[in-house]
Amino acid sequence: MNSFVIREYKSGDEKYITMLFKEVFGKDMTVEQWKWKYYIPGNGKIYSKIAEDSNGNLIGHAGAVPLKGLFKGKPYQFFQIADVMVHPKARGFFGTKNIFSMIIKKLFEDIAKAFTEVFCYGFPGHRPFILGKRIDVYDEIEKAVDYTKTPKYTFFNKCKIKNLEWNDIEINNLWNSISNSLGLSVIRDTAYLNWRYALNPFNNYQLYGAFHSGILKCWFVTKEQEDELFIIDFMSDLKLFRQALKAFEKIFAHKKKIHIWVSKPFKESLKNYNIEQTQIITTNMIWKLPLKTDIVKKNLFYTMGDVDIF
């Protein structure tokens, strides 16, 4: 193949990035959608890498969405790695001629130089995960599991479900009260919820709160798909999580199925849910980066909302 260079994003690339997205994934992404995803959380700083051939054609992209996170109660820089793609005609080859290897390694090397305390993660399917594993950039945290259940109507519950506004101050109060117990997590405050869900140009979401004695103890971000309901994201007081879920099931008892992803220690509350394996692998990015996978496995809190496709 012709020679190529790996470079920083520059204004105007988004037109060709979205064209490459269509070529690789067979789906449309508008320039506005790409800008929402990469511009807003980083306040204009784009960390993504571009591969360009000798004729100036954009043939590769590795995206890094900057997010604010916490690790053991302290601020920690997060990046969700997304939209890693190479034009079909430019794939293959070995060593320094392999675009996938060169672009993803360059991305992580530059992130590691910019941040001493940083966590990069992503959710590739099986085939792209294997490609990343072979070149020592991806490491498996776990295979993502979909917990499902037919919701039931129950009569007595400690929690009351109400609609919430995306900027409700109680969301921040809940986050501040329980965030230190989560280990490793994106900061799920009103700023994050507004960007990720309220302003999302791909999907429409609803926000519900579970209240106990008038105090917000849990919230759920949901998306409906025909007669099924997906709990895309949540934050909860662990002690009341099961009760909050039951109260939530009550108001959606007419749905055929509820879907939710949870991580430790919330899995203990879902013993009466069915477990369905997904094709998604929760992945720690390890090339030149500081957090070892065994530490991530013990600490990471994530939901469907951490995955950009939901």
Side-chain angles (χ1 to χ4, degrees):
M1 65 167 292
N2 293 331
S3 61
F4 64 89
V5 295
I6 306 298
R7 62 168 176 80
E8 304 292 326
Y9 158 87
K10 63 183 180 182
S11 180
D13 281 340
E14 56 269 23
K15 174 183 176 181
Y16 303 100
I17 294 170
T18 55
M19 291 170 62
L20 181 62
F21 186 90
K22 175 71 172 181
E23 176 70 31
V24 172
F25 298 113
K27 299 178 181 179
D28 291 317
M29 178 192 285
T30 67
V31 168
E32 289 70 26
Q33 288 172 329
W34 188 89
K35 286 184 175 180
W36 162 82
K37 188 172 183 178
Y38 290 97
Y39 264 90
I40 295 177
N43 296 317
K45 168 65 177 176
I46 304 297
Y47 294 88
S48 304
K49 297 296 182 187
I50 301 298
E52 187 177 83
D53 69 15
S54 57
N55 295 317
N57 299 311
L58 194 151
I59 55 173
H61 173 267
V65 182
L67 301 168
K68 294 179 180 179
L70 283 183
F71 180 39
K72 296 184 177 179
K74 296 181 180 180
Y76 216 78
Q77 181 64 50
F78 273 48
F79 283 94
Q80 185 195 119
I81 307 306
D83 304 328
V84 180
M85 50 190 175
V86 176
H87 194 284
K89 293 182 179 179
R91 294 174 187 170
F93 307 98
F94 299 96
T96 58
K97 292 185 178 182
N98 183 277
I99 295 175
F100 172 76
S101 176
M102 297 301 291
I103 196 171
I104 200 74
K105 287 181 177 179
K106 179 61 174 172
L107 174 66
F108 296 151
E109 287 166 6
D110 285 357
I111 287 176
K113 290 176 183 177
F115 302 94
T116 56
E117 296 183 328
V118 61
F119 171 55
C120 297
Y121 69 138
F123 300 87
H126 178 73
R127 183 179 178 278
F129 173 80
I130 293 300
L131 293 175
K133 181 74 172 177
R134 286 175 180 169
I135 60 171
D136 299 320
V137 296
Y138 292 172
D139 200 16
E140 180 177 327
I141 300 168
E142 65 179 16
K143 292 179 175 64
V145 171
D146 188 16
Y147 289 82
T148 67
K149 187 176 187 285
T150 300
K152 295 182 179 180
Y153 187 95
T154 54
F155 288 96
F156 301 103
N157 197 289
K158 297 178 181 179
C159 296
K160 303 296 181 183
I161 303 297
K162 301 178 183 178
N163 290 97
L164 272 185
E165 297 293 330
W166 297 104
N167 59 353
D168 194 313
I169 190 62
E170 289 297 316
I171 294 170
N172 289 345
N173 292 340
L174 176 62
W175 170 257
N176 291 333
S177 69
I178 64 177
S179 58
N180 287 346
S181 66
L182 293 178
L184 182 66
S185 172
V186 167
I187 295 176
R188 286 168 161 81
D189 57 8
T190 54
Y192 175 77
L193 294 188
N194 270 279
W195 165 72
R196 176 63 177 86
Y197 302 111
L199 299 176
N200 191 298
F202 291 91
N203 298 296
N204 294 316
Y205 304 93
Q206 291 75 45
L207 178 62
Y208 299 91
F211 291 80
H212 180 255
S213 300
I215 299 173
L216 181 68
K217 292 294 184 179
C218 176
W219 54 255
F220 299 102
V221 174
T222 68
K223 183 175 72 172
E224 296 189 40
Q225 187 172 315
E226 297 179 351
D227 57 354
E228 298 188 1
L229 187 76
F230 293 78
I231 299 177
I232 302 297
D233 209 343
F234 74 90
M235 183 53 53
S236 180
D237 179 310
L238 180 60
K239 293 180 181 179
L240 285 171
F241 182 54
R242 184 176 297 178
Q243 288 296 321
L245 265 179
K246 288 182 178 179
F248 187 75
E249 286 182 36
K250 179 179 178 179
I251 65 172
F252 286 101
H254 60 287
K255 291 292 184 181
K256 180 180 179 181
K257 185 186 288 187
I258 286 179
H259 300 256
I260 186 172
W261 290 14
V262 301
S263 47
K264 296 178 182 178
F266 292 92
K267 291 180 180 181
E268 294 298 316
S269 299
L270 299 182
K271 292 181 178 179
N272 62 338
Y273 275 62
N274 299 313
I275 296 176
E276 299 181 12
Q277 297 294 329
T278 75
Q279 299 300 310
I280 296 173
I281 299 174
T282 308
T283 300
N284 183 29
M285 309 301 169
I286 58 174
W287 183 261
K288 305 296 183 180
L289 295 167
L291 275 188
K292 304 301 181 184
T293 303
D294 59 342
I295 295 175
V296 175
K297 286 181 179 180
K298 294 176 183 177
N299 290 279
L300 181 61
F301 172 85
Y302 74 96
T303 67
M304 281 190 204
D306 288 77
V307 190
D308 64 332
I309 63 173
F310 293 113

